[in-house]
Amino acid sequence: METFKKVTISLYFLFALFSFSESSRSIPHQPQPQPLESFKINNTQNARSCSYTVTIKTSCSSPAYTRDHISIAFGDAYGNQVYVPRIDDPSSRAFERCSTDRYDLRGPCTYQICYVYLYRSGYDGWKVDKVTISSYSSKPVTFSYNSKIPNDVWFGFNFCSGHQAVESTAAM
């Protein structure tokens, strides 16, 4: 019986020590979207055309609706880029608070999508929760914004191995 108590106390001590060490670990830094003033639209002409599904979830803390002009550009690390100059449509009630909007787009074929940028121009403001992009040729990827999109600047993520995909392109 005494041995059982010692083992139990030892296990309890190890469990408490392990729990303390686990709770003191820092949570890895979550990447945040960034403005990219040098972002350029790629004028790549590609004979092949591929289909993409873009799902944009508007935050529940966004304004009730937006009349702002919204553009999107996304692509891969090899310079292939899909650009939609106006993804918004105020008459369709797109980008209302807490809504999820789905767009079926066509554009140049890409490899794995590794960057996305949104561009907002207007006065209403808009807060995006997340953007998910999927296609037949690459795995679906979700970019968690959870932030307001600043006015008149490309804003988003670049997880490509290099920045050549967005910086060595033609001017917008």
Side-chain angles (χ1 to χ4, degrees):
M1 182 73 171
E2 190 66 32
T3 304
F4 179 73
K5 283 184 181 179
K6 287 181 183 178
V7 169
T8 303
I9 291 171
S10 296
L11 288 174
Y12 177 75
F13 177 73
L14 287 173
F15 176 75
L17 182 64
F18 178 74
S19 296
F20 176 75
S21 67
E22 283 296 305
S23 65
S24 64
R25 284 188 186 167
S26 62
I27 297 172
H29 176 68
Q30 294 293 320
Q32 296 296 309
Q34 299 294 317
L36 185 60
E37 306 219 2
S38 65
F39 184 77
K40 309 264 189 265
I41 297 303
N42 187 343
N43 291 325
T44 302
Q45 297 300 318
N46 192 335
R48 297 184 323 152
S49 182
C50 290
S51 298
Y52 299 90
T53 299
V54 175
T55 306
I56 301 174
K57 183 175 184 322
T58 298
S59 172
C60 291
S61 60
S62 187
Y65 63 92
T66 185
R67 294 165 294 188
D68 295 346
H69 296 227
I70 310 294
S71 302
I72 188 170
F74 58 89
D76 62 23
Y78 302 99
N80 300 305
Q81 181 183 82
V82 177
Y83 167 62
V84 181
R86 289 283 309 264
I87 199 166
D88 61 285
D89 180 4
S91 66
S92 71
R93 301 178 64 146
F95 307 131
E96 290 184 332
R97 179 186 306 142
C98 294
S99 68
T100 300
D101 299 291
R102 178 184 160 172
Y103 298 92
D104 294 318
L105 308 174
R106 294 197 63 82
C109 296
T110 65
Y111 294 97
Q112 183 61 47
I113 302 295
C114 58
Y115 73 88
V116 64
Y117 286 94
L118 295 169
Y119 187 90
R120 181 185 71 80
S121 179
Y123 300 101
D124 293 334
W126 179 47
K127 186 173 182 181
V128 177
D129 185 34
K130 62 185 174 180
V131 175
T132 301
I133 304 167
S134 60
S135 74
Y136 178 75
S137 62
S138 66
K139 294 183 282 188
V141 60
T142 297
F143 299 89
S144 296
Y145 275 81
N146 195 27
S147 62
K148 289 183 179 180
I149 304 300
N151 198 33
D152 293 329
V153 66
W154 286 100
F155 191 68
F157 299 90
N158 186 345
F159 297 125
C160 303
S161 60
H163 294 284
Q164 75 276 8
V166 294
E167 292 181 343
S168 65
T169 57
M172 180 174 139

